[in-house]
Amino acid sequence: MKTGTRISLFLAILVVTVPTMAAEGEHPRLILTKAGVQQIRAELGTVPLFDATLKSVKAEVDAEIEQGIDTPIPLDYSGGYTHERHKRNFFIMQKAGALYQILDDEKYANYVRDMLFQYEAMYMDLPLHPKERSYARGKLFWQCLNDANWLVYVSQAYDAIYDFLSAEERQTLEDNLFRPFADHISVDSPQFFNRVHNHSTWGIAAVGMIGLVMGDDELIQRALDGIPFDEIDIAAKDNDGGFIFDKDGRAGFLANLEEPFSPDGYYTEGPYYQRYAMYPFLVFAQALNNVKPELEVLEHKNGVLLKAVDALLALSDADGEFFPLNDGQKGMSYQTGALVTAVDIAYHVGGQDPRLLSIAEEQGSVLLDDAGFSVALAIRDGKTQPFEKKSINLSDGSDGEQGGVAVLRYGNEDLTLVFKYAAQGLSHGHYDKLSFSLYEKGDEVLQDYGLVRFVNIEQKGGGNYLKENRTWAKQTIAHNTITQDETSHFEGKYEIGSQHHSDLHFYDDTNGDVQVVSAKETNAYPGTQITRTMAIIRNEGLEKPFLLDIVKITSSAKHQYDLPFYFLGQVLQVNFDYVTPSGLSPLGDQNGYEHLYVEGKGTPASDNAKFSWMANHKFYTLTSASTSSDQLLFTRMGANDPEFNLRRDAAFLIRRQDAKDTVFASIVEPHGSYSPVSELAVNSTSRIRALEVIYDDANYTAVSIEDLAGGKRIFLQSNTDASVSRQHQVKIGERRYEWTGPYYYF
Amino acid sequence: MKTGTRISLFLAILVVTVPTMAAEGEHPRLILTKAGVQQIRAELGTVPLFDATLKSVKAEVDAEIEQGIDTPIPLDYSGGYTHERHKRNFFIMQKAGALYQILDDEKYANYVRDMLFQYEAMYMDLPLHPKERSYARGKLFWQCLNDANWLVYVSQAYDAIYDFLSAEERQTLEDNLFRPFADHISVDSPQFFNRVHNHSTWGIAAVGMIGLVMGDDELIQRALDGIPFDEIDIAAKDNDGGFIFDKDGRAGFLANLEEPFSPDGYYTEGPYYQRYAMYPFLVFAQALNNVKPELEVLEHKNGVLLKAVDALLALSDADGEFFPLNDGQKGMSYQTGALVTAVDIAYHVGGQDPRLLSIAEEQGSVLLDDAGFSVALAIRDGKTQPFEKKSINLSDGSDGEQGGVAVLRYGNEDLTLVFKYAAQGLSHGHYDKLSFSLYEKGDEVLQDYGLVRFVNIEQKGGGNYLKENRTWAKQTIAHNTITQDETSHFEGKYEIGSQHHSDLHFYDDTNGDVQVVSAKETNAYPGTQITRTMAIIRNEGLEKPFLLDIVKITSSAKHQYDLPFYFLGQVLQVNFDYVTPSGLSPLGDQNGYEHLYVEGKGTPASDNAKFSWMANHKFYTLTSASTSSDQLLFTRMGANDPEFNLRRDAAFLIRRQDAKDTVFASIVEPHGSYSPVSELAVNSTSRIRALEVIYDDANYTAVSIEDLAGGKRIFLQSNTDASVSRQHQVKIGERRYEWTGPYYYF
């Protein structure tokens, strides 16, 4: 096994500062250790962030103890009482266990024990949960996933009070509750447990962690390798339409570490689901690291688990909110508990990166365990350094060869481009090859819709995915990318999409003022090749950096191409004539088009279509090189949405019909600002005079950008050879251009 | 003249601490005084807020001096270069004048002098501004209003460098610039100057303040009393459709103080325009107070100017943003410069209310004059007290007998009702009798649309009012109130509306848990009387306070009544069936209805129509007592809006047809919250089981409110006699109710 410098560093420091390996048979052993508890108790009252967390957790748990224990007969979907009660129970038990260890107060151990025995009394006779929607029903919850959540947390609680219980009590709990519970979510539910999927990660961690507490090697092995299962139905799908079984039959913790993470730590489902999966991955890994250090799970695949924490933090906007790639709910951020876990554990076992401490400070709380204590101690000792997010290119695919996601950042996140050229992203993937979103600081400028789901809000379909997630959010037209002939990529079919990915053409962030990423998609529409190049450019003459977007399409036949820009805020001005209808009708009748109303329709009045809008008190202008036959549409979501599940957001859509080979070149230009207090409008108009495609053939594409001050810049790209050392020359008009590398800007 | 205790207090303190009266012939004398300047210079460097403001103003002015002076030939509307340049010039001159006085650095005096002479060289030959849209064109700007702004600020700059200039220089400036400038905006533009209107306030202050600097009693008199003007055209209107001349021929400063302010300090155009008018009112009043203390302008009408500052602050939400009554642009707040002036002057000359200091701290800057220095000094000396906004009922009309605006606040602005039963509000008024808006902290729950204008954003109609301000924003259907037969109040005619006002029925905020306001409107629709009672109620069994809304209508004939609720955010759930159309059509073809699309249409399934939505991560439910023939509509703005001037906001609209006498009773219930980080939905469903109108006749109306815990409460109101001491009794079913006062809740 290869061990990187990072891991060596970790081991070196670990030995010196925090002795966390669990001795044979010793409890607690998962995330708290006997040695860790001793150190925590010794320093209590002198480590502000830890003490503050302890105080608030104690208040929370004390209030629950006051209320008494309730373990109701399972009835509801998420959002309903029984679901939320059982969910709260496992969170509180885990916390009560930690309080028992840290405060050495038996009140907490009694509480955990009493609740566990109430569960024990109920569990053996529990039928499957009465709600039948899930492909893998749980017993306490409507789906095994939530049952697995329960066991991941309760394992920690059990670990904490293990020595407090009598041998007989432990036997009863293990026989009647923990083992049957672990069996239900594994051997009895292979379609849930034996996958490569975030659901399985929870199941695996649950089975593995209870195995570690019980000292049950069979359960641990089950978690590491999955269950032997001969007849797998590779066509079977889950509720989200994802394949259940890995085509190569892999399962278990190591396969789940291997498969969905790229070598860069990108998780193929995207950050929203990575955030969800990180908790069981890391907490189980930390526990394995304590109890079975010989497995070296943290070093697996070149330390991919710790790289994944870095990747996840990189996939957040200036406010710490994750980019809503694939099915991602907006607003989820690194403030979430799972990221407290991730940051604390990554700091504790991953080389003590002092930048992580500034995230921990923003989070304002730490884990009540060895990892959280390490972080709080380091913060107390003044080790914090700022966490400045840089541009990054993250590969996708277990081998890092299935496309990726690039994030180009200018300055201190003044402008951030998120460009997706990844693989399908399993069942939570969207059909959005070469799509992008754009942020100014933490505000969306051009949005990715996210998902159509109101997570845990029961009124909205039980808090689960809504129909429009499939009919709208996953469809290509819902994204800032090319839709051909009003049909989604891969015909919107998961079977096809999951076989393909886009490919990086080139990525270069070495010059902060001209950062470029380019990728190709050749499978979304057979016979059509799309190359999209996106650059964040800072020009002297302009107030702010802008986005240059060149979409080059070559095809074997004529098609209609639609390219929408999902802006927010209000339309200010356009430079073309358009008509607005007296009533609104949908743009189409399928593939997401049925959800778009047409609010206006025009044609370009010149070689550039210009469209300005205002959002968040800032101004933006899109300048797009246009042809006279282009159609320019204003659309708004909300058609065929009988339950009002969609937001009423707008797009400016460029439609090009009867085109074979073509280039869409656009600039998205942020400029100025408006204050409703001073009522001053600063730089409210575009400074781009013209954008022109001055050259385009199989080998090269070039555009010229002219600003109002008369400055003229050229962007040239090689369409085929992206090697850094390759020399190019091309003659445009009378002038010959020579350069080295995939692009040239001057 | 009556002098209240407040004014006495002010005079007492004034004499002791800040000697600001200007001695005969002394300069500066307007807002800085010789004595004030001495004190400021002595304390410089020891008064943090003043020093910080000084530093930032100095940096701003130094940068402008560095750039050089530009006084371009006037060409543009607001937002255009020449407009914005001249605007910036007057702001900078005023600041440079203050810097000269405070820092005693001739660089600033030279700068002001040089710029003044550039204006002097240009002004005499300047024709009217080339843009012809205004009813009263300026010379530097397209409207006299902006020219008046210029002179108000430049008077202060001239005052500051008066002694620095030679007598000859002064003579030149006064002869060629200031006097002709003052004449243009007054005697040459009586339609602008001789009004009772915020425009005139600026003209009056401009003429009066330059008169005070020049020691010209004729100009001062002109400002105080207006110009003698025999033939006034009382039918003449301005660009906004407002009458130009007061029907009683009043004009000048005192008339403008007298007429638009109620005795409570409410300004009839609403807070957005009051904020704009306060600056010239206060700065001129302060100057008069210094130079002509014998006029006692601050004591005029029982100290109404200082009361107006309190009223204005009371008309802001928890974030300090003004309620957008009438034509008000959202986002304007007490952070605006005019309110720095208002707060500083009100503190300085108005009795040193220490609560004002906390507003000044929030503003983060002070005036660079005697008033600002007083405030900064008091803050330095630790005198600040919190500014807690209370419920308040503000009368409208110069005599306080033309209706009013009530603001009911629960707790620390946890829930705020703004209920408007005022007069028309001059040319900026809306046809929105008995309308309301509702806030939870600083977030709108049910919104007032505000205006249709993008102030100073040139792309949007030159930054001026847009057509849809008249066709939409002013119309009744754009507001949370009753529209009868799809026609606006007073037929949407200003001539009619300005003759009427609603009347207070009763107001009672003595019980914090049941605060009630009730008002009547009998003129909006002849033959129809509308009584609306709104109460903010806090019930034991409910998590948050709620709004009870009872609209009682009696009419001589059958009509259709529409009652919309302009909610924000997304629909969660309803308890009735509805259909959504396949395409969207406008709800009507005039009076604002042409701007509403119908997104859904249903009928109540029970005696209560319920509608839940989520906004700003909080939940809300409307429960309305309904009849089986009611129509329930989901509408959205945006129809017939060819320039995209309207936001695409939604309403839930209750329509009752063929009704004569009827009651609309509704509860707006805020409940719970949602976190996209924890993904927890707390109290996401309504706790109101039923709302029923249990009694209604000419004398009494009663509703019962039942919650899910089985609690049942009754709200009874007297429809005729609102006296506090009157005893009532009414028998409902088998039970007799007896109480004293206008309402009863138990």
Side-chain angles (χ1 to χ4, degrees):
Chain A
M1 173 160 301
K2 292 175 207 155
T3 305
T5 46
R6 160 171 223 157
I7 302 300
S8 311
L9 182 66
F10 135 62
L11 288 171
I13 294 175
L14 199 66
V15 172
V16 179
T17 60
V18 193
T20 52
M21 306 302 176
E24 184 71 25
E26 196 173 272
H27 290 273
R29 50 167 58 176
L30 295 182
I31 54 156
L32 279 163
T33 59
K34 254 198 146 52
V37 169
Q38 274 170 13
Q39 199 191 352
I40 291 170
R41 287 185 187 173
E43 298 265 13
L44 224 51
T46 72
V47 188
L49 190 52
F50 194 86
D51 295 335
T53 306
L54 184 66
K55 186 179 169 191
S56 89
V57 168
K58 183 174 183 306
E60 183 188 6
V61 173
D62 286 350
E64 284 287 342
I65 292 177
E66 191 70 28
Q67 270 189 31
I69 295 170
D70 186 21
T71 55
I73 297 296
L75 272 177
D76 302 328
Y77 280 127
S78 56
Y81 175 73
T82 71
H83 182 103
E84 297 305 323
R85 185 66 256 170
H86 288 298
K87 188 166 162 186
R88 192 144 179 74
N89 283 350
F90 68 67
F91 280 125
I92 296 295
M93 270 196 279
Q94 191 266 354
K95 289 172 176 169
L99 291 178
Y100 168 62
Q101 283 294 336
I102 293 166
L103 299 174
D104 198 16
D105 180 343
E106 294 196 348
K107 169 172 99 171
Y108 300 107
N110 285 323
Y111 178 75
V112 174
R113 183 194 56 202
D114 293 349
M115 194 184 290
L116 285 178
F117 276 96
Q118 276 198 212
Y119 276 110
E120 184 270 341
M122 169 166 77
Y123 192 80
M124 289 297 278
D125 299 325
L126 268 189
L128 282 182
H129 192 280
K131 298 287 189 195
E132 299 183 356
R133 191 191 293 160
S134 175
Y135 77 104
R137 286 154 71 189
K139 290 192 165 183
L140 293 180
F141 301 92
W142 70 281
Q143 52 178 353
C144 274
L145 173 60
N146 301 113
D147 281 46
N149 299 156
W150 187 94
L151 191 54
V152 165
Y153 284 86
V154 170
S155 298
Q156 300 170 50
Y158 180 46
D159 182 41
I161 67 160
Y162 191 93
D163 288 342
F164 170 81
L165 298 172
S166 68
E168 193 185 347
E169 285 173 326
R170 291 197 294 260
Q171 195 66 44
T172 307
L173 287 174
E174 294 184 8
D175 288 350
N176 299 338
L177 181 60
F178 295 133
R179 195 180 311 270
F181 201 109
D183 286 345
H184 176 68
I185 60 174
S186 57
V187 288
D188 297 345
S189 306
Q191 77 280 24
F192 163 75
F193 189 79
N194 247 30
R195 306 177 67 181
V196 172
H197 190 280
N198 72 70
H199 285 189
S200 305
T201 310
W202 281 94
I204 289 160
V207 170
M209 288 172 71
I210 197 67
L212 287 172
V213 186
M214 292 162 59
D216 183 327
D217 283 338
E218 192 277 320
L219 288 179
I220 297 168
Q221 213 52 48
R222 203 188 284 176
L224 292 174
D225 300 331
I227 36 179
F229 195 64
D230 293 334
E231 298 170 34
I232 56 172
D233 174 5
I234 63 161
K237 291 192 189 174
D238 65 12
N239 295 77
D240 301 326
F243 289 121
I244 286 180
F245 297 106
D246 182 80
K247 59 187 189 311
D248 301 322
R250 287 171 293 190
F253 185 65
L254 296 178
N256 269 281
L257 255 186
E258 193 61 47
E259 188 65 20
F261 285 104
S262 78
D264 293 333
Y266 178 75
Y267 186 75
T268 194
E269 293 185 283
Y272 179 76
Y273 276 92
Q274 178 170 358
R275 166 275 323 176
Y276 185 64
M278 283 314 281
Y279 183 82
F281 270 123
L282 283 167
V283 83
F284 185 36
Q286 190 188 5
L288 281 169
N289 195 53
N290 285 337
V291 186
K292 303 261 180 197
E294 65 277 15
L295 293 176
E296 296 184 310
V297 289
L298 287 168
E299 294 162 56
H300 191 77
K301 198 174 173 174
N302 253 322
V304 72
L305 259 181
L306 298 172
K307 284 183 183 167
V309 178
D310 286 344
L312 188 48
L313 293 173
L315 291 171
S316 68
D317 70 17
D319 297 334
E321 296 182 9
F322 298 121
F323 303 127
L325 301 175
N326 296 326
D327 288 340
Q329 178 161 279
K330 291 184 180 178
M332 178 57 72
S333 80
Y334 59 52
Q335 294 290 341
T336 187
L339 268 283
V340 175
T341 301
V343 167
D344 289 2
I345 294 181
Y347 181 82
H348 182 58
V349 302
Q352 276 80 7
D353 179 348
R355 300 174 313 136
L356 292 174
L357 301 175
S358 69
I359 306 276
E361 285 186 16
E362 269 191 71
Q363 291 169 338
S365 69
V366 290
L367 297 175
L368 289 186
D369 65 12
D370 295 5
F373 185 74
S374 279
V375 166
L377 202 64
I379 289 172
R380 183 196 71 181
D381 295 343
K383 296 184 179 165
T384 306
Q385 285 181 18
F387 189 87
E388 279 170 19
K389 281 178 262 174
K390 307 289 186 197
S391 295
I392 193 168
N393 186 34
L394 297 166
S395 63
D396 191 8
S398 58
D399 54 1
E401 310 243 313
Q402 299 185 38
V405 171
V407 182
L408 297 183
R409 292 185 165 97
Y410 180 85
N412 187 17
E413 302 182 69
D414 300 314
L415 194 64
T416 302
L417 166 75
V418 184
F419 180 54
K420 183 164 179 263
Y421 62 97
Q424 181 64 31
L426 304 183
S427 61
H428 292 296
H430 288 191
Y431 301 95
D432 62 345
K433 296 295 154 191
L434 309 186
S435 182
F436 79 103
S437 54
L438 190 69
Y439 292 75
E440 186 169 358
K441 292 288 185 185
D443 292 331
E444 293 173 303
V445 175
L446 294 166
Q447 70 162 330
D448 188 291
Y449 188 86
L451 43 57
V452 185
R453 178 181 179 185
F454 296 74
V455 180
N456 291 330
I457 297 178
E458 202 179 14
Q459 297 99 309
K460 285 296 206 188
N464 296 302
Y465 284 99
L466 298 166
K467 172 179 159 289
E468 291 78 11
N469 195 61
R470 179 178 54 75
T471 62
W472 169 253
K474 281 180 180 289
Q475 300 297 326
T476 305
I477 193 61
H479 299 85
N480 298 310
T481 189
I482 292 285
T483 298
Q484 175 179 298
D485 298 335
E486 304 188 26
T487 305
S488 285
H489 298 165
F490 310 110
E491 302 168 46
K493 289 182 181 162
Y494 180 66
E495 292 78 358
I496 306 175
S498 55
Q499 292 169 27
H500 300 289
H501 56 81
S502 306
D503 287 297
L504 183 67
H505 183 37
F506 63 89
Y507 172 88
D508 187 349
D509 65 8
T510 51
N511 174 359
D513 285 345
V514 187
Q515 304 182 53
V516 194
V517 59
S518 181
K520 291 171 184 287
E521 173 54 47
T522 54
N523 299 297
Y525 300 113
T528 299
Q529 170 171 309
I530 309 172
T531 304
R532 189 170 205 169
T533 305
M534 309 200 85
I536 296 282
I537 297 176
R538 180 75 166 93
N539 266 9
E540 270 302 307
L542 298 173
E543 177 202 2
K544 299 185 182 184
F546 62 85
L547 173 70
L548 173 64
D549 174 24
I550 301 173
V551 184
K552 174 178 170 62
I553 303 175
T554 54
S555 186
S556 55
K558 283 190 172 180
H559 299 286
Q560 170 186 293
Y561 302 114
D562 286 343
L563 179 59
F565 294 88
Y566 283 93
F567 69 98
L568 297 155
Q570 278 193 273
V571 176
L572 285 189
Q573 199 175 32
V574 298
N575 74 338
F576 55 86
D577 290 332
Y578 62 92
V579 292
T580 51
S582 57
L584 301 187
S585 304
L587 180 56
D589 54 14
Q590 59 181 346
N591 303 327
Y593 281 74
E594 71 275 25
H595 293 300
L596 287 178
Y597 282 122
V598 180
E599 290 196 324
K601 198 181 226 176
T603 50
S606 68
D607 292 343
N608 278 178
K610 285 186 90 90
F611 157 57
S612 297
W613 73 99
M614 178 165 71
N616 293 307
H617 299 137
K618 301 194 198 85
F619 300 106
Y620 302 94
T621 298
L622 176 79
T623 302
S624 195
S626 48
T627 68
S628 59
S629 59
D630 284 355
Q631 283 182 24
L632 305 170
L633 303 173
F634 287 100
T635 68
R636 191 170 299 274
M637 306 161 197
N640 290 293
D641 178 26
E643 306 279 338
F644 295 96
N645 290 335
L646 299 177
R647 301 189 302 268
R648 265 48 180 168
D649 294 343
F652 177 75
L653 188 153
I654 303 173
R655 168 167 285 188
R656 195 164 292 168
Q657 293 173 308
D658 282 326
K660 201 163 155 284
D661 299 350
T662 191
V663 173
F664 289 85
S666 308
I667 282 175
V668 182
E669 178 197 4
H671 50 92
S673 62
Y674 182 73
S675 162
V677 174
S678 70
E679 298 191 328
L680 279 177
V682 178
N683 289 346
S684 69
T685 54
S686 166
R687 298 283 301 163
I688 302 289
R689 185 198 301 279
L691 172 66
E692 191 185 347
V693 180
I694 55 173
Y695 191 89
D696 183 51
D697 67 11
N699 294 320
Y700 301 104
T701 302
V703 300
S704 70
I705 301 164
E706 198 178 341
D707 65 35
L708 284 184
K712 192 164 183 174
R713 312 294 296 261
I714 307 282
F715 184 93
L716 270 155
Q717 69 178 46
S718 161
N719 293 326
T720 50
D721 189 327
S723 79
V724 178
S725 56
R726 168 70 185 271
Q727 291 191 320
H728 301 276
Q729 60 170 315
V730 59
K731 195 176 171 201
I732 302 177
E734 290 308 300
R735 187 159 166 196
R736 181 175 305 279
Y737 297 87
E738 296 189 359
W739 77 97
T740 304
Y743 81 92
Y744 186 40
Y745 182 73
F746 70 99
Chain B
M1 173 159 302
K2 290 176 211 156
T3 306
T5 46
R6 160 172 220 155
I7 302 298
S8 310
L9 182 65
F10 135 61
L11 287 171
I13 294 173
L14 198 67
V15 172
V16 178
T17 60
V18 194
T20 54
M21 305 303 176
E24 185 70 27
E26 198 172 89
H27 290 273
R29 50 166 59 177
L30 295 182
I31 54 155
L32 280 163
T33 60
K34 255 199 146 52
V37 169
Q38 276 169 13
Q39 199 192 353
I40 291 170
R41 288 185 185 174
E43 298 266 12
L44 226 52
T46 72
V47 188
L49 190 52
F50 194 87
D51 294 336
T53 306
L54 184 66
K55 187 179 169 192
S56 90
V57 168
K58 183 174 182 306
E60 183 188 6
V61 173
D62 286 350
E64 284 286 341
I65 291 177
E66 190 70 27
Q67 271 190 28
I69 295 170
D70 185 23
T71 56
I73 297 296
L75 273 178
D76 302 328
Y77 279 126
S78 55
Y81 175 73
T82 72
H83 183 102
E84 297 304 323
R85 184 65 255 170
H86 288 299
K87 190 168 160 183
R88 193 146 177 74
N89 283 349
F90 69 67
F91 280 125
I92 295 295
M93 270 198 277
Q94 190 266 353
K95 289 172 176 170
L99 290 178
Y100 167 63
Q101 284 293 334
I102 294 166
L103 299 174
D104 198 16
D105 181 343
E106 294 196 350
K107 169 171 98 169
Y108 301 107
N110 285 324
Y111 178 73
V112 175
R113 182 194 55 204
D114 293 350
M115 194 185 289
L116 285 178
F117 275 96
Q118 275 196 214
Y119 275 110
E120 184 268 341
M122 169 167 77
Y123 192 81
M124 289 297 278
D125 298 326
L126 268 189
L128 282 183
H129 192 279
K131 298 287 190 196
E132 299 183 356
R133 191 193 292 161
S134 175
Y135 76 103
R137 287 154 69 190
K139 289 191 164 182
L140 294 181
F141 300 92
W142 69 281
Q143 52 178 353
C144 274
L145 173 61
N146 300 113
D147 281 47
N149 298 156
W150 187 93
L151 190 55
V152 165
Y153 283 86
V154 170
S155 298
Q156 299 170 52
Y158 180 46
D159 182 41
I161 67 160
Y162 191 92
D163 288 342
F164 171 81
L165 298 172
S166 68
E168 193 185 348
E169 284 173 326
R170 292 198 295 260
Q171 195 66 45
T172 306
L173 287 175
E174 294 185 8
D175 289 349
N176 299 338
L177 180 61
F178 296 133
R179 194 180 311 270
F181 200 110
D183 286 345
H184 176 68
I185 61 174
S186 57
V187 288
D188 298 345
S189 306
Q191 78 280 24
F192 163 74
F193 189 79
N194 247 30
R195 304 178 68 182
V196 172
H197 190 280
N198 71 69
H199 285 189
S200 305
T201 310
W202 281 94
I204 289 160
V207 170
M209 287 172 71
I210 197 68
L212 286 172
V213 186
M214 292 162 61
D216 183 327
D217 282 337
E218 191 276 321
L219 288 179
I220 298 169
Q221 213 53 48
R222 204 188 282 177
L224 291 174
D225 300 332
I227 35 179
F229 196 64
D230 293 334
E231 298 170 33
I232 55 174
D233 174 5
I234 62 162
K237 290 192 189 175
D238 66 13
N239 295 79
D240 301 324
F243 290 120
I244 286 179
F245 296 107
D246 181 79
K247 60 187 189 311
D248 301 322
R250 286 172 294 190
F253 184 65
L254 298 179
N256 269 283
L257 256 186
E258 193 61 48
E259 189 64 20
F261 285 104
S262 79
D264 294 332
Y266 177 76
Y267 186 74
T268 195
E269 293 184 286
Y272 179 75
Y273 277 91
Q274 178 170 359
R275 165 275 326 176
Y276 185 64
M278 283 315 282
Y279 183 83
F281 269 122
L282 282 168
V283 83
F284 184 37
Q286 190 188 6
L288 280 170
N289 193 54
N290 285 338
V291 185
K292 303 258 178 199
E294 66 278 13
L295 293 178
E296 296 184 310
V297 289
L298 287 168
E299 295 161 57
H300 191 75
K301 199 173 171 175
N302 254 321
V304 72
L305 259 181
L306 298 173
K307 285 183 182 168
V309 177
D310 286 344
L312 188 48
L313 293 173
L315 290 171
S316 68
D317 69 18
D319 298 334
E321 297 182 8
F322 298 122
F323 303 126
L325 301 176
N326 296 325
D327 288 340
Q329 178 161 279
K330 291 184 180 179
M332 178 57 73
S333 80
Y334 59 52
Q335 295 290 343
T336 186
L339 267 283
V340 175
T341 301
V343 167
D344 288 2
I345 294 181
Y347 180 82
H348 182 57
V349 302
Q352 275 81 7
D353 179 349
R355 301 174 313 136
L356 292 174
L357 301 175
S358 70
I359 306 277
E361 285 186 17
E362 269 191 70
Q363 292 169 335
S365 69
V366 290
L367 297 175
L368 288 186
D369 64 12
D370 295 4
F373 186 74
S374 280
V375 166
L377 203 62
I379 289 172
R380 183 196 72 180
D381 295 344
K383 296 184 180 168
T384 306
Q385 285 181 16
F387 189 86
E388 280 170 17
K389 280 178 262 174
K390 305 290 185 196
S391 296
I392 193 168
N393 186 34
L394 297 166
S395 63
D396 190 10
S398 58
D399 55 0
E401 311 244 311
Q402 298 185 38
V405 171
V407 182
L408 297 183
R409 293 186 165 96
Y410 181 85
N412 188 17
E413 302 181 68
D414 300 314
L415 194 64
T416 302
L417 166 74
V418 184
F419 179 55
K420 183 163 179 261
Y421 61 98
Q424 181 63 31
L426 305 182
S427 62
H428 292 297
H430 287 192
Y431 302 96
D432 62 348
K433 297 293 154 191
L434 310 187
S435 180
F436 78 102
S437 55
L438 190 68
Y439 293 76
E440 187 168 358
K441 292 286 186 188
D443 293 331
E444 294 174 303
V445 175
L446 294 166
Q447 70 162 329
D448 188 292
Y449 187 86
L451 42 58
V452 185
R453 179 181 179 184
F454 296 74
V455 181
N456 290 331
I457 297 179
E458 202 179 15
Q459 296 99 310
K460 284 295 205 188
N464 296 303
Y465 283 98
L466 298 166
K467 172 178 159 289
E468 291 78 12
N469 195 61
R470 180 177 54 75
T471 63
W472 169 251
K474 282 180 179 287
Q475 300 298 325
T476 306
I477 193 60
H479 300 85
N480 299 309
T481 189
I482 292 286
T483 298
Q484 175 179 300
D485 298 334
E486 304 188 26
T487 306
S488 284
H489 297 166
F490 310 110
E491 303 168 44
K493 289 182 180 161
Y494 180 65
E495 292 78 357
I496 306 175
S498 56
Q499 292 169 27
H500 300 289
H501 56 83
S502 305
D503 287 296
L504 183 66
H505 183 37
F506 63 90
Y507 173 88
D508 187 350
D509 65 8
T510 50
N511 174 359
D513 285 345
V514 188
Q515 304 182 53
V516 195
V517 59
S518 180
K520 292 172 183 286
E521 173 54 47
T522 54
N523 299 297
Y525 299 113
T528 299
Q529 171 172 310
I530 310 171
T531 304
R532 188 170 207 170
T533 305
M534 308 200 86
I536 297 282
I537 297 175
R538 180 75 166 91
N539 267 10
E540 271 302 308
L542 298 173
E543 177 201 1
K544 299 184 181 183
F546 63 85
L547 173 70
L548 173 64
D549 174 24
I550 302 173
V551 184
K552 175 178 170 60
I553 304 175
T554 54
S555 184
S556 55
K558 284 189 172 181
H559 298 286
Q560 170 185 294
Y561 302 113
D562 286 344
L563 179 59
F565 294 88
Y566 283 93
F567 69 97
L568 297 155
Q570 278 192 273
V571 176
L572 286 190
Q573 199 175 33
V574 298
N575 73 338
F576 54 86
D577 290 332
Y578 62 92
V579 293
T580 51
S582 57
L584 301 188
S585 304
L587 180 55
D589 54 14
Q590 58 181 347
N591 302 327
Y593 283 74
E594 71 275 25
H595 293 300
L596 286 178
Y597 282 122
V598 180
E599 290 196 324
K601 197 182 231 177
T603 50
S606 69
D607 293 343
N608 279 178
K610 285 187 88 92
F611 157 57
S612 296
W613 72 99
M614 179 166 69
N616 293 306
H617 298 136
K618 300 193 198 87
F619 300 106
Y620 302 94
T621 297
L622 176 78
T623 303
S624 195
S626 48
T627 68
S628 58
S629 60
D630 284 354
Q631 284 183 24
L632 305 170
L633 304 173
F634 287 100
T635 68
R636 192 170 299 274
M637 307 162 198
N640 290 293
D641 178 26
E643 307 278 338
F644 295 95
N645 290 335
L646 299 177
R647 301 189 301 269
R648 265 45 179 169
D649 294 343
F652 178 75
L653 189 153
I654 303 173
R655 169 168 285 186
R656 196 164 293 167
Q657 293 173 309
D658 282 326
K660 201 163 155 284
D661 299 351
T662 192
V663 174
F664 289 86
S666 308
I667 283 176
V668 181
E669 178 198 4
H671 51 92
S673 62
Y674 182 74
S675 161
V677 174
S678 70
E679 297 191 330
L680 279 178
V682 178
N683 289 345
S684 69
T685 54
S686 167
R687 297 283 301 163
I688 302 289
R689 186 198 301 278
L691 171 66
E692 191 185 345
V693 179
I694 55 172
Y695 192 90
D696 183 53
D697 68 11
N699 295 319
Y700 301 105
T701 302
V703 301
S704 70
I705 302 163
E706 200 179 338
D707 65 36
L708 284 184
K712 191 163 184 174
R713 312 293 296 259
I714 307 283
F715 185 94
L716 270 153
Q717 70 177 46
S718 161
N719 293 326
T720 51
D721 190 327
S723 79
V724 178
S725 56
R726 169 70 188 270
Q727 291 191 317
H728 301 275
Q729 60 170 318
V730 59
K731 197 177 168 201
I732 301 177
E734 291 307 299
R735 189 161 164 194
R736 182 175 306 277
Y737 298 87
E738 295 189 359
W739 76 97
T740 304
Y743 82 92
Y744 186 40
Y745 182 74
F746 70 100

